[in-house]
Amino acid sequence: MCHRRSFSALIVLTVLLTLVAGCASKTTPGTIPGPSTGGNTITVTAAGMAFDTSTITVSAGAHVTITFINNDSGVRHNVAFYTSAAATTVINIGGMTTGVSTLTYTFDAPTTPGTYFFRCDVHPSTMTGEFIVQ
Ligand SMILES: [Cu+2]
């Protein structure tokens, strides 16, 4: 009787230790996605000859993914990133696409935080915005 009881206690203890070990392994650092990864994947839409946003914000040096949706049927647009509104120094020029269509651009953001510039190269005076690197 006494032996059986201590054997049962040993089993309970073993199960508890296994559960604790299981919980500990689930909280190992590195298995939880970092919060910054989602912020550098951005969707930009062009519709009615305008972008749906006037600012695009990413982290300095981040690998940026832009999903560009062109909802203007039969109209060519792109999203091009420059260091300033003068558009003389290129960060990344996304390919032109005629709507309705979707393109994905990937490039590395500048490593120096600052306010840069983006525009549609087809409509450079009306489709513009701030490219904020922080
Ligand atoms: Cu355009």
Side-chain angles (χ1 to χ4, degrees):
M1 208 53 155
C2 186
H3 279 284
R4 192 170 287 176
R5 209 172 272 169
S6 62
F7 182 66
S8 298
L10 189 66
I11 288 173
V12 168
L13 190 66
T14 305
V15 167
L16 282 175
L17 283 173
T18 306
L19 285 174
V20 167
C23 285
S25 69
K26 278 176 194 159
T27 55
T28 303
T31 57
I32 301 162
S36 63
T37 49
N40 300 307
T41 300
I42 289 155
T43 299
V44 179
T45 301
M49 306 298 288
F51 288 126
D52 67 337
T53 182
S54 59
T55 60
I56 294 173
T57 303
V58 300
S59 306
H63 191 64
V64 177
T65 300
I66 306 279
T67 301
F68 175 50
I69 301 169
N70 179 355
N71 276 336
D72 281 336
S73 183
V75 179
R76 256 157 51 100
H77 293 297
N78 77 339
V79 189
F81 297 84
Y82 300 91
T83 56
S84 75
T88 49
T89 305
V90 172
I91 296 170
N92 182 76
I93 296 180
M96 301 274 177
T97 184
T98 302
V100 174
S101 57
T102 301
L103 275 187
T104 301
Y105 311 140
T106 56
F107 62 96
D108 291 326
T111 53
T112 305
T115 299
Y116 300 89
F117 176 75
F118 75 89
R119 73 178 190 187
C120 168
D121 286 326
V122 185
H123 310 99
S125 60
T126 52
M127 296 177 68
T128 64
E130 290 184 337
F131 180 44
I132 299 167
V133 176
Q134 60 187 15

